[in-house]
Amino acid sequence: MGFSKVMKRRVTIAMALIHRPRILLLDEPTSGMDVQSVLLIRQMMRQLHDAGTTIFLTTHNIEEANQSCQHVAIIHRGKIAAIDSPERLKQAFQSVQAVEVGGALIPHLVEWTQARHLTLTLVNTLGPSLEDVFVKITGLEIATGEPEENEQGRRGKGMGRGR
């Protein structure tokens, strides 16, 4: 019996890391992986970067590039169309300014803008991401993959299972 796709990917990455490279090329390292494996790969990339490894990451997952990369090159039809930090690229094409604030601050923000005769165009509250929910429900630790005790003292369970 052979390894799963995720296990093959993990083994390939481990093989690339065994000699502690100064430069690492990763092509779609999280493609098709479960949430826990994606979080593990992202953590590993952060640790490698912090230790001085330069990582080149190719991905079609724009949010992954946004979260994982200090610099992003957008390639269109085989040519680099733009290269900069994710924040600078977003600022260059942003036509509306957005500011995230906590829910408790919204009434104060409304009052402040009204006092200055400004207009709020949109107020949106953001909750946790589905990834955050999955990690909280399952209680999975990124490093070990083992469930930890949650607030109710139960071992975490996977999504889709009953309580």
Side-chain angles (χ1 to χ4, degrees):
M1 180 158 204
F3 285 137
S4 69
K5 179 180 177 182
V6 172
M7 186 54 73
K8 287 178 185 177
R9 178 86 39 100
R10 285 181 172 186
V11 169
T12 302
I13 291 172
M15 288 172 31
L17 296 175
I18 198 86
H19 69 283
R20 299 180 189 261
R22 290 176 36 141
I23 297 174
L24 180 64
L25 305 172
L26 296 174
D27 183 21
E28 301 278 354
T30 61
S31 176
M33 287 191 161
D34 58 278
V35 173
Q36 179 187 5
S37 296
V38 169
L39 293 173
L40 182 65
I41 297 296
R42 286 182 188 161
Q43 180 185 41
M44 180 244 356
M45 287 190 303
R46 278 190 297 277
Q47 290 171 342
L48 287 168
H49 174 265
D50 292 345
T53 302
T54 300
I55 301 170
F56 287 91
L57 170 72
T58 60
T59 183
H60 287 91
N61 183 336
I62 301 299
E63 189 53 31
E64 182 170 52
N66 183 48
Q67 290 180 19
S68 302
C69 301
Q70 287 184 333
H71 290 87
V72 173
I74 297 174
I75 300 173
H76 181 66
R77 296 185 178 170
K79 295 184 179 179
I80 295 176
I83 187 168
D84 210 333
S85 71
E87 288 307 313
R88 285 188 187 150
L89 287 170
K90 290 184 283 186
Q91 287 173 359
F93 294 93
Q94 188 173 15
S95 60
V96 175
Q97 184 66 34
V99 178
E100 266 186 56
V101 297
L105 295 177
I106 292 174
H108 301 290
L109 180 62
V110 170
E111 182 181 310
W112 186 86
T113 56
Q114 287 174 344
R116 287 159 181 77
H117 306 289
L118 299 172
T119 303
L120 285 175
T121 57
L122 176 69
V123 175
N124 188 17
T125 56
L126 301 174
S129 70
L130 187 56
E131 187 174 277
D132 295 332
V133 172
F134 180 85
V135 169
K136 186 71 173 173
I137 287 174
T138 61
L140 290 175
E141 293 181 14
I142 296 169
T144 64
E146 293 298 319
E148 60 184 32
E149 297 289 326
N150 59 23
E151 289 94 22
Q152 292 82 23
R154 294 182 301 219
R155 302 289 277 178
K157 295 189 183 220
M159 295 286 279
R161 289 187 162 172
R163 293 181 139 188

